[in-house]
Amino acid sequence: MYLEVSDVKKSYGEGGSYIQVLKGVSLQVKQGDMCVIQGTSGSGKSTLLNCIGGLDTIESGSIKVDGTEIAGMKADELSDYRRDYLGFIFQFYNLVPNLTVRENIQVCEYLTDQPLNMDELLEILGLTEHQNKFPAQLSGGQKQRVAIVRSLAMNPDVILFDEPTSALDPEMVGEVLDLMKSLADEGMTMVIVTHEMGFAKEVATNVIFIDEGKILESGEPKEFFGNPKNPRLKEFLSKVLA
């Protein structure tokens, strides 16, 4: 198994402000699979993604990527892990405002020994004519595509998406989802937190439902959406698919 998360627990705060966000989460993702994580706000979705990405430390459990255990890594080891294995697409782009599109991508391109061809990526994603613009001159969809190219340029083994369409105008959602479908067709391993039900149904290899820090159900999209078993998942789907 390429990505293995075993009995991961994570909490924040102390005393009266203590809250356990992840309560023994376990999941497995094969290389080249697309795993979609769904759940209500505050269920632990983004925290789980941050733990896999080494942005948050875990209290107990295990996270392995390609057999490498990341739990307990020191800061410099985590930096190497993120550089060598991961692309991370955040919800709000995190582009450097005083760098051009090309320069934003080059920042990540310089971090790897085997970057993908930036000019090809810019062409594929329709950004060639925008490469000398600054982020403030771009639309929401264009900014998201720049963020995706920036991560792809590092030639990552795994890409983590945190609500990649949440900050987009409705007309921009389609183009970003089309891009993610093409990445899935190329066999890239992806873990995606998204509220887009259509995308999860059409493209995901497997779908996970997390609620109050626990994974309550998972499965292939047809079974997950067509025959949900957990009462909480049934309630969740009845609301979002209504």
Side-chain angles (χ1 to χ4, degrees):
M1 200 61 62
Y2 195 73
L3 168 63
E4 297 179 88
V5 177
S6 303
D7 198 25
V8 165
K9 296 179 182 178
K10 172 67 180 178
S11 63
Y12 296 103
E14 296 178 354
S17 63
Y18 175 86
I19 179 171
Q20 189 173 25
V21 182
L22 299 179
K23 304 173 183 177
V25 169
S26 298
L27 63 90
Q28 296 183 328
V29 183
K30 295 178 182 177
Q31 188 168 15
D33 276 3
M34 175 182 286
C35 176
V36 168
I37 301 174
Q38 298 198 319
T40 58
S41 178
S43 59
K45 304 186 301 296
S46 293
T47 298
L48 175 57
L49 212 62
N50 288 341
C51 289
I52 295 171
L55 301 177
D56 277 348
T57 57
I58 64 175
E59 292 170 13
S60 62
S62 170
I63 299 176
K64 293 181 180 179
V65 176
D66 195 20
T68 299
E69 176 64 67
I70 71 167
M73 279 185 173
K74 298 178 181 178
D76 57 341
E77 293 174 321
L78 284 171
S79 294
D80 290 343
Y81 159 69
R82 288 190 290 266
R83 180 194 65 203
D84 296 339
Y85 284 95
L86 295 181
F88 209 130
I89 312 298
F90 292 96
Q91 182 169 357
F92 297 109
Y93 326 124
N94 291 337
L95 302 180
V96 182
N98 60 340
L99 296 182
T100 65
V101 166
R102 191 175 190 89
E103 290 167 342
N104 263 283
I105 297 166
Q106 284 174 330
V107 168
C108 287
E109 188 184 41
Y110 292 146
L111 297 176
T112 180
D113 295 329
Q114 295 180 314
L116 297 182
N117 187 288
M118 178 169 30
D119 290 325
E120 290 183 7
L121 292 173
L122 288 169
E123 181 67 27
I124 290 170
L125 293 176
L127 291 169
T128 302
E129 63 183 281
H130 304 293
Q131 63 182 302
N132 294 317
K133 293 181 180 179
F134 292 94
Q137 298 172 294
L138 303 175
S139 69
Q142 289 165 345
K143 290 177 184 177
Q144 190 64 291
R145 281 184 283 162
V146 174
I148 292 171
V149 170
R150 184 176 58 182
S151 285
L152 286 176
M154 294 180 66
N155 198 10
D157 295 307
V158 180
I159 292 190
L160 308 177
F161 292 85
D162 189 5
E163 293 286 8
T165 61
S166 66
L168 302 182
D169 295 330
E171 61 268 23
M172 296 294 178
V173 170
E175 65 184 64
V176 172
L177 294 184
D178 286 343
L179 169 62
M180 293 170 69
K181 290 177 185 177
S182 69
L183 294 176
D185 291 339
E186 293 295 322
M188 184 169 288
T189 303
M190 288 182 269
V191 181
I192 304 160
V193 169
T194 180
H195 64 280
E196 292 288 342
M197 290 294 167
F199 176 71
K201 288 181 178 180
E202 295 170 17
V203 183
T205 309
N206 61 304
V207 187
I208 288 171
F209 175 65
I210 186 170
D211 185 62
E212 295 184 350
K214 295 181 179 180
I215 291 178
L216 299 186
E217 193 162 332
S218 64
E220 296 181 359
K222 184 177 181 179
E223 182 72 11
F224 183 91
F225 290 103
N227 187 30
K229 298 175 179 60
N230 185 276
R232 291 284 291 173
L233 175 58
K234 291 180 180 179
E235 179 185 357
F236 173 75
L237 292 177
S238 69
K239 291 179 180 178
V240 297
L241 296 176

